[in-house]
Amino acid sequence: MVISKPNIRLTFLGTGTSQGVPLIGCGCRVCRSSDPRDNRLRTSAMVEVGDKRFIIDAGPDFRQQLLREGVRNISAILLTHKHKDHIGGIDDVRALNFVDYPTVHTVHIYASHDTAECVRKDFDYAFCENPYRGVPKIALHEFGNEPFEIEGVEFVPIQGKHSRFEITGFRIGELAYLTDFKAIEEGELRKLQGVKLLVVNALRWEAHDSHFSVEEALQIIDKVGPAKAFLTHMSHEIGLHAEAEARLPEGVYLAYDGLSIDIK
């Protein structure tokens, strides 16, 4: 008997840096561009596996992103690290809690120990002993270096460095998603072998002290050898989407907000 694998769909909810694009007060041609692919909310993604829906990172644009995609229920949120452009929108899970009121849906959030501690600190009102009415209903789960399952879907953590900070990417079947990486060890890279679709952050063409440049991202892509790769977490310094993508090698593309890709 042949058991079919569930279809995986990746949707880029946001592909921009911590300040987004356009940047406040900037008049460069990227920030003034009329091409919607040059408008980038803070980096986040949605991964759908069969009828399960997972969100990777919930930054300040979380509400806007879910409204745009028509999302009213999710299986879980996975966090890559503790910076505000990746966790700042967690309070907005309240809408998901009460979308079927009077039924209340607890939102499950998965994070490394350090990131979970930051969530508990920043959103302490959601974890206090006697919370007031209307606070986010959150179940916070910590993961380590080993694969873990959520509703029957396996997630493989991919560890790396974001400057001096720990960062986690995820492999889900033949998809791997890395954002805000600056360094990754060979042992972690081996976990990516065999993926069909690889997403890697690339802040700009020039080197940066806490994010991959385009060249560094391309080196990772070359080592892994996916069928397709997409760059994300891009600043306005990447240039206009149409011009920048034309500079990339075959099989490598710039992601843009709202882009969906099926992996079969």
Side-chain angles (χ1 to χ4, degrees):
M1 180 176 68
V2 177
I3 301 175
S4 60
K5 295 184 294 184
N7 180 63
I8 298 177
R9 168 171 284 189
L10 168 68
T11 300
F12 290 95
L13 301 179
T15 57
T17 61
S18 59
Q19 298 183 76
V21 182
L23 185 67
I24 293 172
C26 181
C28 77
R29 63 186 190 132
V30 177
C31 290
R32 291 185 289 106
S33 172
S34 60
D35 185 341
R37 297 174 300 177
D38 291 319
N39 293 329
R40 305 184 185 109
L41 300 177
R42 267 61 74 93
T43 291
S44 177
M46 179 167 64
V47 179
E48 296 170 275
V49 185
D51 62 350
K52 313 300 182 185
R53 181 181 291 123
F54 305 94
I55 306 295
I56 301 178
D57 288 333
D61 302 317
F62 181 66
R63 172 182 173 275
Q64 182 178 350
Q65 291 163 340
L66 266 59
L67 283 171
R68 186 190 69 214
E69 300 300 327
V71 175
R72 70 186 311 273
N73 58 77
I74 63 173
S75 299
I77 296 172
L78 297 98
L79 302 177
T80 61
H81 64 300
K82 62 186 179 182
H83 288 166
K84 292 300 174 290
D85 55 318
H86 295 262
I87 71 168
I90 284 176
D91 184 80
D92 285 324
V93 304
R94 288 182 295 138
L96 300 173
N97 294 151
F98 303 113
V99 70
D100 293 320
Y101 191 80
T103 300
V104 178
H105 301 286
T106 297
V107 171
H108 294 266
I109 298 180
Y110 290 75
S112 68
H113 176 73
D114 285 351
T115 302
E117 286 294 288
C118 187
V119 171
R120 292 188 185 98
K121 174 178 67 69
D122 288 4
F123 301 95
D124 57 352
Y125 53 90
F127 301 98
C128 62
E129 187 173 341
N130 295 300
Y132 61 84
R133 186 175 183 272
V135 302
K137 305 294 183 183
I138 296 170
L140 190 57
H141 310 270
E142 296 185 16
F143 58 74
N145 296 330
E146 298 301 317
F148 59 94
E149 283 194 6
I150 308 173
E151 296 189 7
V153 178
E154 183 181 66
F155 293 83
V156 180
I158 311 297
Q159 307 296 339
K161 287 286 189 179
H162 174 28
S163 184
R164 63 180 182 273
F165 302 100
E166 300 292 335
I167 190 101
T168 305
F170 300 100
R171 177 172 182 168
I172 309 103
E174 294 173 316
L175 162 69
Y177 182 92
L178 311 180
T179 187
D180 289 50
F181 273 63
K182 178 59 181 178
I184 182 170
E185 294 183 356
E186 290 298 322
E188 296 299 301
L189 270 179
R190 284 194 288 272
K191 296 179 182 179
L192 302 176
Q193 295 304 312
V195 300
K196 287 184 178 179
L197 179 64
L198 175 62
V199 179
V200 185
N201 61 284
L203 187 73
R204 61 190 191 189
W205 298 92
E206 296 78 14
H208 190 272
D209 62 0
S210 61
H211 299 80
F212 284 149
S213 65
V214 173
E215 180 181 354
E216 290 168 327
L218 292 176
Q219 290 172 359
I220 298 298
I221 293 166
D222 187 59
K223 289 180 179 180
V224 175
K228 284 187 178 180
F230 285 83
L231 306 183
T232 192
H233 204 285
M234 296 168 288
S235 77
H236 61 163
E237 295 175 274
I238 204 81
L240 294 172
H241 186 285
E243 295 178 2
E245 187 169 82
R247 298 171 59 182
L248 298 175
E250 184 178 359
V252 182
Y253 309 89
L254 295 189
Y256 56 87
D257 293 18
L259 171 65
S260 290
I261 306 158
D262 288 313
I263 308 162
K264 299 180 179 179

